[in-house]
Amino acid sequence: MKSKQTRNRFGFPDLGIGVGLRTAHYGHVLEQRPAVDWFEIISENFLGTHGRPGWVLEQAAERYPVVMHGVSLSIGSTDPLDFDYLKQLKELALRVRAPWLSDHLCWTGVAGRNLHDLLPLPYTEECLRHVVRRVRTVQDFLERPIALENPSTYVEFQSSSMSEWEFLARVAEEADCALLLDVNNVYVSSFNHGFDAGQYVDAIPHERVVQYHLAGHTNHGTHIIDSHNGRVIDEVWRLYERSLSLSGGRSTLLEWDEDIPSFEELHTEALRARAWLERARGKARRVHVRN
Amino acid sequence: MSATSLVGLERWFQAEVLRPHVRTKRAPVAAARHLTSSRSLGAAERIAIYQRGYMLRLQECLQSDFPAVRRIAGEPRFEVLVRAYLERHPSRHWSLNPLGQDFARFLEREAPRGPRSGLLAGLAQLEWAMQEVFEAPPAPALAQDALQRIAPADWARRRLVPIAALRLVACEQRCNAIASAVRRDEPLPPLGRKRTWVVVYRKDWTVWRMDLDALQFELLSALCRGRTLAQALAAAARLHRGPQAALQRRIQAACASFVSEGLFQAVR
């Protein structure tokens, strides 16, 4: 029987419930100073720019913990790593005192191109070795562990020799990196590929999970697109609860990036996670005391 | 390179995602050779999700950066222009921010000619200037009385250093008025030829556009090119017709306006 983890192995703080820092809410965040636990930024939106977003970020980082979440690390690409990009990531992380940085287990382009999409990887031994090597290099350069997120995918490769969850777990173990478990993406991919989402969640090394993502999606009948709009559906909340029963609770973020509602509506949806988090933490404390 | 090696697979996958959007002589490799089907979709239908997503995402970015170009071109033509642009100028940067940096030049020199091609290029130039100004580094502005404190004997050799968040745009049409009307969802001004000049700048984190006349534009351009005050005044004076006193008033008003709007950061 899997034992419940109550702390992540990296000592990253449990920040509570966060939301994304989005342009539409800049004014509200600065003027109203809402009682939100933390913010997540899309790292690329604040690299190499000197305009108002950078100033807003500075103001926000003075009052709230700010975690960095990237989309261009392209950790699985066979193009060389971009060390200019990594240098800027590192500098930004120092400036905002980011508790951790994350990106996706994917690639975004080869031959110098960027398709600006989270492209899927074949789950092969060759790819595993390649990704592990690059994660270690990135972590050495950044001088800290990174968290990799499971992206939603719409294809599977004939050459894959293992499941996505086995691949993810092995990357995390062999590269000694953290995980950002996107529970909505587990659900979306399970629908698209016909696997058991519960089996996926159970197989994750939860001591490496430092953060959760929750989000809405768009169901087209034949497939689901990870559209990051709308509320979190019940099945995803149940997967979240299942994962919490194994991790004991972690920093949780609601992603809502399309058809963005008011800040109040966004935060209210995020706070639905509180009930499950408190239950998981309460159970974790009771287990700890009993042992 | 083996087709099933990681390098081979990634190159194949990328080529397939781009296939509907580029001209290629390469024969397609059936998606089913490398991808599985799901219970609902075949391999080709599954990769089509990425094919559609690629163009939609980049189109959205350019729609956001060039709303006036989109409005004047119309949706079908804008889509054609964007597709042609992305084929010739694909993204090679980790950020989407610079995606449109060559769009104005593309419209001017490379795009298929059509109605109001010149206007589209001018609007793109203006709208990209707004993006550049938005992203530029901040700098403290010159004090309001900075020019008055320059000793008369020093005027000839002093230079004004512009802020980084400043761009000058000269158009053959009413580009600034058109851009404003589009953004406010108001009726468009006449689209015919009329030479106009605009300074795009940032003040207090807000991007502004200010119409200039030819003399003001020439004066400001010369100053931004690093000319001395004397050289810039001489360049502007060549465009003046009328009494010297009127020229002096125009120059003084222009300089006062430039300083009060924070267009300069230093006197050298």
Side-chain angles (χ1 to χ4, degrees):
Chain A
M1 185 170 107
K2 283 178 77 82
S3 58
K4 185 192 303 294
Q5 304 294 328
T6 56
R7 295 176 65 83
N8 67 80
R9 62 181 281 121
F10 302 96
F12 290 172
D14 185 349
L15 298 176
I17 299 171
V19 295
L21 184 63
R22 298 291 178 261
T23 311
H25 301 140
Y26 283 174
H28 181 90
V29 170
L30 295 183
E31 290 156 21
Q32 305 303 322
R33 303 189 190 191
V36 66
D37 291 337
W38 59 285
F39 284 103
E40 183 184 82
I41 61 169
I42 302 298
S43 308
E44 287 77 6
N45 289 346
F46 299 92
L47 301 179
T49 177
H50 306 279
R52 186 166 181 262
W55 176 79
V56 171
L57 175 60
E58 279 176 28
Q59 308 301 306
E62 283 183 10
R63 299 191 187 97
Y64 304 93
V66 172
V67 166
M68 289 168 57
H69 183 56
V71 295
S72 290
L73 181 60
S74 199
I75 196 69
S77 172
T78 47
D79 271 7
L81 287 165
D82 185 338
F83 284 93
D84 177 60
Y85 168 77
L86 289 173
K87 180 168 175 283
Q88 294 191 54
L89 269 186
K90 191 173 181 179
E91 287 167 356
L92 181 63
L94 282 173
R95 260 202 327 274
V96 302
R97 298 178 299 281
W100 62 86
L101 296 84
S102 61
D103 205 304
H104 302 77
L105 183 56
C106 72
W107 57 293
T108 62
V110 290
R113 301 268 304 246
N114 191 338
L115 273 58
H116 297 285
D117 200 350
L118 310 176
L119 302 176
L121 288 166
Y123 305 130
T124 62
E125 294 291 339
E126 180 199 3
C127 185
L128 177 70
R129 285 192 299 273
H130 176 71
V131 170
V132 165
R133 208 161 40 235
R134 285 163 70 92
V135 172
R136 287 188 172 278
T137 301
V138 167
Q139 292 184 139
D140 284 345
F141 184 88
L142 295 178
E143 297 181 279
R144 55 161 87 198
I146 61 170
L148 286 181
E149 176 184 339
N150 54 303
S152 51
T153 55
Y154 311 104
V155 300
E156 288 177 304
F157 288 90
Q158 297 276 10
S159 55
S160 289
S161 57
M162 66 187 90
S163 65
E164 178 183 329
W165 50 94
E166 182 185 349
F167 185 87
L168 181 66
R170 287 183 62 187
V171 165
E173 300 283 354
E174 294 178 33
D176 196 17
C177 69
L179 291 175
L180 189 172
L181 185 61
D182 189 308
V183 185
N184 176 63
N185 286 352
V186 174
Y187 178 82
V188 168
S189 294
S190 75
F191 183 97
N192 291 338
H193 307 312
F195 61 71
D196 181 343
Q199 184 181 2
Y200 189 125
V201 165
D202 290 349
I204 293 301
H206 286 273
E207 73 279 7
R208 292 187 178 276
V209 174
V210 299
Q211 184 190 336
Y212 291 106
H213 270 170
L214 297 164
H217 55 249
T218 304
N219 192 328
H220 293 274
T222 53
H223 61 284
I224 294 178
I225 297 287
D226 178 31
S227 50
H228 286 186
N229 61 340
R231 294 194 154 74
V232 179
I233 66 170
D234 289 345
E235 289 90 332
V236 174
W237 284 119
R238 283 198 286 276
L239 272 181
Y240 176 60
E241 184 182 20
R242 184 170 183 150
S243 187
L244 287 179
S245 72
L246 296 168
S247 69
R250 297 285 190 265
S251 305
T252 298
L253 183 108
L254 174 72
E255 291 184 300
W256 195 329
D257 305 318
E258 295 292 325
D259 307 322
I260 299 177
S262 67
F263 187 88
E264 290 86 355
E265 186 179 346
L266 169 71
H267 198 206
T268 300
E269 178 68 5
L271 289 176
R272 291 176 65 194
R274 178 156 287 157
W276 281 284
L277 265 178
E278 287 177 353
R279 199 175 311 142
R281 287 183 186 131
K283 282 184 184 167
R285 278 196 293 274
R286 285 196 292 278
V287 167
H288 178 72
V289 167
R290 195 159 47 237
N291 289 343
Chain B
M1 179 197 330
S2 153
T4 53
S5 68
L6 185 59
V7 171
L9 273 178
E10 288 186 348
R11 285 187 182 245
W12 169 80
F13 193 89
Q14 176 167 291
E16 281 308 297
V17 170
L18 295 174
R19 178 172 297 284
H21 314 299
V22 300
R23 282 165 290 191
T24 178
K25 292 183 181 150
R26 195 187 294 184
V29 171
R33 184 162 154 191
H34 294 301
L35 305 176
T36 65
S37 297
S38 70
R39 61 183 168 228
S40 311
L41 295 175
E45 291 168 304
R46 299 178 100 191
I47 199 169
I49 296 170
Y50 291 94
Q51 290 167 342
R52 287 191 295 271
Y54 168 76
M55 187 50 65
L56 277 173
R57 189 169 309 105
L58 301 194
Q59 270 182 338
E60 266 177 22
C61 176
L62 294 175
Q63 286 168 356
S64 172
D65 285 350
F66 300 100
V69 176
R70 182 184 179 199
R71 168 80 182 276
I72 300 302
E75 204 63 53
R77 187 171 169 211
F78 185 76
E79 186 178 326
V80 167
L81 289 170
V82 163
R83 286 179 175 275
Y85 172 70
L86 291 174
E87 184 174 4
R88 293 194 197 191
H89 300 273
S91 176
R92 295 185 182 280
H93 196 273
W94 40 260
S95 169
L96 276 168
N97 285 351
L99 183 66
Q101 64 187 359
D102 295 316
F103 195 46
R105 191 160 49 245
F106 165 81
L107 290 174
E108 187 184 0
R109 299 181 194 170
E110 301 170 46
R113 306 310 285 173
R116 307 196 190 283
S117 283
L119 172 56
L120 296 182
L123 286 170
Q125 190 187 3
L126 177 62
E127 294 189 303
W128 189 248
M130 295 167 66
Q131 294 301 320
E132 289 185 319
V133 165
F134 181 81
E135 301 284 353
L142 265 185
Q144 295 292 310
D145 63 348
L147 292 185
Q148 283 92 341
R149 287 193 268 111
I150 300 175
D154 284 345
W155 261 80
R157 58 187 182 85
R158 292 289 190 152
R159 300 169 203 273
L160 294 179
V161 179
I163 56 174
L166 185 154
R167 295 291 184 275
L168 289 159
V169 180
C171 303
E172 296 299 322
Q173 294 85 11
R174 298 172 177 82
C175 290
N176 191 27
I178 294 168
S180 293
V182 168
R183 279 160 173 76
R184 294 179 195 143
D185 199 20
E186 291 172 353
L188 294 172
L191 303 183
R193 292 180 73 88
K194 177 177 169 48
R195 196 145 169 76
T196 58
W197 304 267
V198 187
V199 57
V200 185
Y201 60 102
R202 196 176 70 215
K203 184 179 176 186
D204 297 331
W205 300 113
T206 300
V207 174
W208 297 91
R209 288 169 280 127
M210 181 164 63
D211 287 314
L212 303 173
D213 61 32
L215 184 146
Q216 292 168 330
F217 185 84
E218 186 60 34
L219 174 64
L220 189 50
S221 296
L223 291 170
C224 289
R225 286 197 305 271
R227 300 286 185 267
T228 64
L229 281 162
Q231 290 168 332
L233 293 177
R238 285 195 283 273
L239 296 178
H240 176 72
R241 300 284 178 269
Q244 190 67 14
L247 170 64
Q248 199 167 347
R249 282 193 297 274
R250 286 181 76 185
I251 297 285
Q252 280 176 341
C255 288
S257 170
F258 296 160
V259 172
S260 74
E261 288 305 296
L263 303 190
F264 298 104
Q265 58 175 309
V267 180
R268 295 257 159 84

